[in-house]
Amino acid sequence: MPTFALVDCNAFYVSCERVFSPALADRPVVVLSNNDGCIVARSAEAKALGIGMGQPAYQCAELLKRHEVAVFSSNYALYGDMSARVMDTLARFAPAMEVYSIDEAFLDLTGLPEAVALARGMRDTVRRFTGIPVSVGLGPTKTLAKVANRLAKKDPALGGVLDLCGHADLERVLRGVDVEEVWGIGRRHGAWLRGLGVRSALDFSRLPRELVRRRMTVIGLQTLLELQGVSCLDLDAAPAPPRSVVASRSFGRPVTDAGEMREAVAFHAARAAERLRGKGCVAGNILVFVQTNRFVAGEPQYAVSDTAAFAVPTAATPEIIRLGQAVLGRIFRPGFRYKKTGVMLFGLEPAANCRGSLLENPRETARARALMCVVDGINARHGRDALTFAASGLARPWRMKQGRRSPRYTTVWDEIPVVRAD
DNA sequence: TCTGGGGTCCTAGGACCC
DNA sequence: TCTGGGGTCCTAGGACCC
């Protein structure tokens, strides 16, 4: 029987901020989403105040102020780098690991002796090497490892580790887990299950398979089997190449001007192109979307997207900007207060597969590729925006709000913390 | 009077994840 | 005034082909 470990960082973004601001250790802390919109991470103290996950920040502004909650804009340069350090540390502990998200990893501990002791070792080592606290759940399936992790976080008496492999009373454990807390059961299915009188993970695991299969597809059926201890989801150590790449942002204020919109589309096109090259891919297609603010009742709404195909799959920023702006030209309508735009690149393939085409001029293609290499090289050395494309604008009055970002302590020379000797 | 059936591909929409 | 961003997967249904 397999043994999976799920390692999950506790309140990850908050923990990253605390590593560099130890004075925040026992204070309530929250981190906001992009554009300072929603709460996306909360310390235990902030949770205790009743601040909800995903809650719009303006709704709890009063509460944040009254309790002197430390509030941060999100700082993905910092979180991404800290994540890499955590993952590097975890990788020492098992022959195979799947990095599942920025703050979670599955490890395959099958056949290793003393899995619980190993889990405690992971926890201590990650804390010592990176400053980040983690919890570890062990189980015979990924879904049960998820359950174990959640319980390990919730109950301090467990010391951050819970093992559900060969657990003496798994039924009692699953009876205590709300059905909508199970990995793979979201809002819609949760509501449907409640309607059937299914309240706990245990109730769900006892439903007829055919019913679950019909309503929740094979995904739901896998979840059910995994709760019964039948492993359906393998560790995915080498994730498939990406199928799409997206760059999008809400505006810091409504945009009405076509010129500003063109700038923003160019900006996101350039970001998406960078990511594409970072993954060693080229894109065959582009999608551009624009949308107004759906939360403003009574304001005229408009949300449209359109796509186009590149003559030859490409990762060259100028081409991607050009086609992106052409698509924008087809969908942009004046007279609306726009909230957001974005660019998606899809039809991806590895750049190495690109075998040329009658439609391209090989010399120009080579020049474009060389240019991108130079741009990426300079930006890698001197900061992401050392070289940008003029089409994405300079002032960018539409850029997102980010009023409370901490320094990029670990990735920008000028922002590295200074340790005083006195 | 009699008028098939099976396979593949694509897309839109829905659901989920962190 | 103020409500994130980036992904994946599955299914149904239509188009198309033989």
Side-chain angles (χ1 to χ4, degrees):
Chain A
M1 186 176 291
T3 301
F4 293 97
L6 175 65
V7 184
D8 190 319
C9 301
N10 302 348
F12 180 55
Y13 299 167
V14 166
S15 297
C16 290
E17 300 294 348
R18 279 178 166 168
V19 168
F20 295 92
S21 305
L24 298 175
D26 302 309
R27 284 187 51 198
V29 182
V30 299
V31 176
L32 305 177
S33 65
N34 281 312
N35 218 26
D36 290 349
C38 298
I39 309 280
V40 294
R42 309 159 293 158
S43 70
E45 300 78 11
K47 286 176 196 170
L49 291 175
I51 296 168
M53 180 63 179
Q55 196 178 3
Y58 75 91
Q59 279 180 8
C60 51
E62 203 40 51
L63 197 64
L64 296 174
K65 202 165 164 191
R66 192 163 64 242
H67 293 92
E68 298 184 323
V69 177
V71 178
F72 290 91
S73 301
S74 40
N75 182 350
Y76 287 103
L78 176 63
Y79 311 150
D81 186 61
M82 293 299 285
S83 170
R85 293 167 191 237
V86 170
M87 299 306 169
D88 286 349
T89 307
L90 288 175
R92 308 161 170 231
F93 284 88
M97 175 169 91
E98 174 185 346
V99 176
Y100 179 67
S101 73
I102 194 167
D103 72 335
E104 277 173 83
F106 286 101
L107 282 74
D108 185 357
L109 305 188
T110 307
L112 299 182
E114 306 285 345
V116 172
L118 196 62
R120 295 198 191 288
M122 288 176 204
R123 201 165 163 270
D124 295 343
T125 308
V126 171
R127 184 65 186 250
R128 198 162 66 245
F129 285 12
T130 69
I132 301 291
V134 303
S135 303
V136 187
L138 302 176
T141 69
K142 281 179 154 183
T143 304
L144 286 171
K146 273 274 196 185
V147 169
N149 185 285
R150 178 175 283 267
L151 296 173
K153 274 196 170 141
K154 212 184 283 186
D155 183 356
L158 295 173
V161 177
L162 176 62
D163 182 9
L164 289 181
C165 290
H167 194 276
D169 199 356
L170 190 57
E171 290 199 355
R172 188 180 50 78
V173 171
L174 294 182
R175 197 176 294 122
V177 175
D178 285 343
V179 66
E180 45 277 283
E181 299 200 338
V182 174
W183 186 43
I185 298 179
R187 266 220 333 258
R188 299 301 292 262
H189 289 146
W192 173 68
L193 290 164
R194 282 278 155 178
L196 292 180
V198 173
R199 294 204 297 269
S200 67
L202 183 67
D203 293 343
F204 177 70
S205 74
R206 290 174 168 173
L207 283 178
R209 293 181 183 183
E210 197 39 46
L211 174 71
V212 170
R213 160 74 242 249
R214 214 167 42 237
R215 181 75 181 225
M216 299 175 64
T217 79
V218 297
I219 305 277
L221 181 56
Q222 283 174 346
T223 299
L224 183 149
L225 292 169
E226 287 235 321
L227 286 174
Q228 294 177 349
V230 179
S231 179
C232 304
L233 305 169
D234 292 335
L235 194 88
D236 190 5
R243 304 173 54 78
S244 63
V245 169
V246 176
S248 76
R249 282 285 181 280
S250 297
F251 298 123
R253 55 128 168 97
V255 163
T256 55
D257 180 71
E260 286 187 4
M261 189 65 95
R262 278 175 62 80
E263 261 183 33
V265 166
F267 180 84
H268 297 314
R271 275 275 179 276
E274 277 168 23
R275 265 178 228 161
L276 190 64
R277 295 194 296 273
K279 294 170 190 293
C281 291
V282 291
N285 307 80
I286 188 170
L287 175 148
V288 178
F289 69 86
V290 295
Q291 54 188 244
T292 50
N293 189 343
R294 64 185 194 281
F295 295 109
V296 182
E299 207 169 277
Q301 297 291 316
Y302 182 69
V304 174
S305 67
D306 201 358
T307 63
F310 294 101
V312 179
T314 185
T317 300
E319 272 185 73
I320 293 174
I321 289 178
R322 210 173 306 133
L323 192 56
Q325 291 188 331
V327 174
L328 174 67
R330 299 207 298 260
I331 60 177
F332 183 84
R333 297 279 173 277
F336 292 99
R337 289 161 57 82
Y338 291 96
K339 171 69 178 169
K340 185 175 177 180
T341 184
V343 170
M344 177 176 12
L345 300 172
F346 60 103
L348 304 195
E349 46 185 295
N353 279 8
C354 229
R355 314 240 308 281
S357 146
L358 291 176
L359 297 171
E360 74 182 322
N361 172 337
R363 192 174 305 162
E364 274 178 26
T365 306
R367 273 197 62 203
R369 202 168 296 157
L371 176 64
M372 290 301 100
C373 263
V374 170
V375 170
D376 291 339
I378 290 176
N379 285 342
R381 221 163 320 135
H382 301 283
R384 194 170 66 169
D385 290 325
L387 269 185
T388 63
F389 284 77
S392 6
L394 293 172
R396 297 179 193 147
W398 39 264
R399 71 186 182 281
M400 70 173 176
K401 284 183 255 174
Q402 197 179 38
R404 303 151 175 269
R405 204 203 67 214
S406 54
R408 292 161 291 187
Y409 299 106
T410 62
T411 58
V412 176
W413 285 112
D414 293 345
E415 301 181 16
I416 289 178
V418 174
V419 180
R420 270 190 304 237
D422 55 38

